[in-house]
Amino acid sequence: MKKFLIPLLTLAAIAAIFMGCMPAAAPVTPPVTPPVTPPAAPPVTPPAAPPVTPPAAGRTAADVPELQGLITMGCLDPNLPMNPFGEDFAVKPDGTPYKIADNTIFLYCDWCFQHTALMGSLISRAGGIHTLYDPAFVLDRQIAMVEDMVATKSADALIIQPVDEYATVPVVDKAVAAGIPVFVVVTGCYSDNVTSFIRHDYAGDHIPGQGCDVIGQWYVDYVTRTGKPVHIYELWGSRATESSRFRHEGFHKAVDGNPLITVTESPDSGYSTDVMGTMLMDAMTADPTINAAFQHGGGTAGIIEAVRTLGRLYPIGDPNHVIFATNEDDTEIVDAMDAGNVDAFCTNSPVPQANVAICNLFNSFVLGLPVPKENWMPMKVITPENTKTEREFGLPASWPRLPRGTWDLWPVADVTEYGLTFPTLALRKQLMGY
């Protein structure tokens, strides 16, 4: 290997010397290529903004299949809202629901049961929690329930239908002092601390001609038109309850002094259906001249069955018909009117009253708006001629025509007819900032 390595290195060195002595070649300049200008990009049209879709209108009665018959019949306003409040209306700033306690006088009467069931539905639609208490017409039990509610702080607001208008004042004052506003319905509670009181003017003292005097006047008009004497059995609810006494007073404002009208009063029934039926049956057996009935509330089915049992249930127009024109407005009475057995009743309805009570509670308690301290609900007379067409607050005046037992399908009454504002989520955001 040594023999070949040396000659190779020598040749490489000579070549390097020789190349270095030769003149360098001129550098070759590559042609200059002009810069290429890319074609202008086509203008880019920004995508069109999606059309602004207005918020969908809330469901109305017209959107509910179960209500179409009532709308066609003309006794239901199709524009009534199903939930004007908004699903999250009755919630606190921290997002938890308001808890509303409902302590009603008793639930064994159809009217009271429907009233509290509807209030529960309205509160739930707005996102609140409705808790029902039933003292079963026992004063001490009602007081104990409210005291326990205050002690456990289990409610943010209280709706109460008192067993006694005066004996419940101390416990209502205790609730208000604990920061629980109180809203009274149907029967009174004479505390200055009550936020709002919603009731019918049974005595006709505040809105004459729209209390129980309207049904008394119906009897006056009847005997004037027919010349037929009427002996009315008046079925008392409870003389210890002011509401019952007001119904008695309003009725008698119209009928007293009319020579063709006689009234016999019953003992207290406690608004029991069975007791009213037994009382009427006994009274008509003892005095067959009794040919009419007027009850303060509840008991409709018992009264109809009493007359049927006596063999005296004849339809309107029959000369032996027992006249049934009364204060009550309940499920059984509408069925009995449709069957031809009831002449008239006044709209002592739980439906507009429950709606006004809840709207007052929401407006005052949630929104901080002033609400009427006294709310006197008017009443109309319903007869077979107008039972399927008459409205009250946009709803059927014969309210049992609404889908029974499905209170969530009942539209919200037009409380603006009463001069109130619908409490809404938008109004809460505007006034309360959340």
Side-chain angles (χ1 to χ4, degrees):
M1 291 184 64
K2 290 180 181 179
K3 291 181 179 180
F4 293 103
L5 178 58
I6 294 172
L8 286 174
L9 290 175
T10 304
L11 288 173
I14 293 169
I17 293 169
F18 180 77
M19 292 293 294
C21 295
M22 295 181 67
V28 178
T29 303
V32 176
T33 304
V36 178
T37 304
V44 177
T45 304
V52 177
T53 304
R59 293 177 76 220
T60 64
D63 300 316
V64 181
E66 293 87 346
L67 301 177
Q68 300 315 299
L70 297 173
I71 293 171
T72 302
M73 199 158 54
C75 67
L76 176 64
D77 181 349
N79 298 310
L80 287 181
M82 298 303 295
N83 183 7
F85 319 114
E87 294 181 0
D88 296 322
F89 172 81
V91 299
K92 305 174 187 178
D94 63 4
T96 58
Y98 282 113
K99 295 176 290 186
I100 314 300
D102 177 6
N103 196 316
T104 195
I105 192 169
F106 50 70
L107 291 176
Y108 54 75
C109 161
D110 179 54
W111 194 104
C112 292
F113 176 77
Q114 302 288 341
H115 183 258
T116 197
L118 177 55
M119 289 197 296
S121 171
L122 296 173
I123 291 168
S124 297
R125 286 183 227 184
I129 294 175
H130 172 255
T131 303
L132 178 61
Y133 298 86
D134 177 16
F137 215 175
V138 178
L139 175 62
D140 290 345
R141 183 175 176 179
Q142 184 170 57
I143 291 173
M145 285 176 168
V146 177
E147 287 181 336
D148 182 67
M149 180 200 72
V150 172
T152 58
K153 304 185 188 308
S154 57
D156 299 302
L158 169 65
I159 301 169
I160 187 169
Q161 181 181 350
V163 173
D164 185 283
E165 294 85 351
Y166 298 95
T168 50
V169 169
V171 75
V172 162
D173 287 344
K174 183 181 290 187
V176 175
I180 303 170
V182 177
F183 299 80
V184 177
V185 294
V186 188
T187 55
C189 177
Y190 295 104
S191 165
D192 292 336
N193 296 312
V194 168
T195 299
S196 188
F197 183 12
I198 304 95
R199 57 179 164 174
H200 288 99
D201 183 23
Y202 298 121
D205 291 336
H206 299 271
I207 43 176
Q210 297 187 67
C212 292
D213 47 350
V214 295
I215 208 67
Q217 186 60 47
W218 183 92
Y219 274 108
V220 171
D221 294 342
Y222 175 86
V223 299
T224 301
R225 182 177 68 252
T226 64
K228 178 183 177 180
V230 173
H231 185 176
I232 305 167
Y233 192 61
E234 179 183 0
L235 287 147
W236 270 84
S238 168
R239 287 171 175 79
T241 304
E242 193 173 61
S243 171
S244 195
R245 297 197 300 271
F246 285 156
R247 298 171 202 217
H248 167 82
E249 291 172 14
F251 179 69
H252 280 267
K253 280 181 180 178
V255 301
D256 284 357
N258 191 297
L260 292 176
I261 296 177
T262 303
V263 179
T264 296
E265 300 177 27
S266 80
D268 287 359
S269 69
Y271 296 98
S272 165
T273 296
D274 293 340
V275 172
M276 284 190 188
T278 300
M279 284 180 173
L280 181 60
M281 192 163 13
D282 291 347
M284 293 179 72
T285 301
D287 186 349
T289 69
I290 294 175
N291 62 351
F294 164 77
Q295 101 274 31
H296 291 183
T300 298
I303 294 167
I304 295 295
E305 286 309 309
V307 177
R308 191 194 310 275
T309 300
L310 292 173
R312 295 182 61 180
L313 187 63
Y314 297 94
I316 296 171
D318 189 289
N320 296 311
H321 169 68
V322 174
I323 301 166
F324 192 26
T326 182
N327 174 72
E328 196 61 353
D329 181 358
D330 62 15
T331 302
E332 290 88 357
I333 206 163
V334 171
D335 290 344
M337 178 169 279
D338 287 347
N341 299 321
V342 171
D343 299 78
F345 60 88
C346 55
T347 56
N348 174 35
S349 172
V351 177
Q353 182 157 295
N355 276 269
V356 168
I358 296 306
C359 282
N360 271 356
L361 186 148
F362 285 163
N363 276 324
S364 173
F365 177 55
V366 179
L367 301 181
L369 295 174
V371 296
K373 182 88 168 181
E374 295 279 357
N375 300 260
W376 299 102
M377 310 296 294
M379 293 197 291
K380 303 176 181 179
V381 173
I382 301 300
T383 64
E385 290 71 33
N386 68 352
T387 180
K388 293 183 179 179
T389 57
E390 189 69 31
R391 293 181 186 178
E392 192 173 39
F393 292 73
L395 294 160
S398 298
W399 63 266
R401 300 196 184 284
L402 291 163
R404 295 185 184 178
T406 52
W407 300 277
D408 289 347
L409 295 180
W410 295 11
V412 177
D414 183 8
V415 295
T416 62
E417 183 179 310
Y418 189 71
L420 300 180
T421 299
F422 273 127
T424 66
L425 188 59
L427 194 55
R428 192 195 73 191
K429 290 178 179 178
Q430 176 186 337
L431 296 175
M432 310 306 292
Y434 77 98

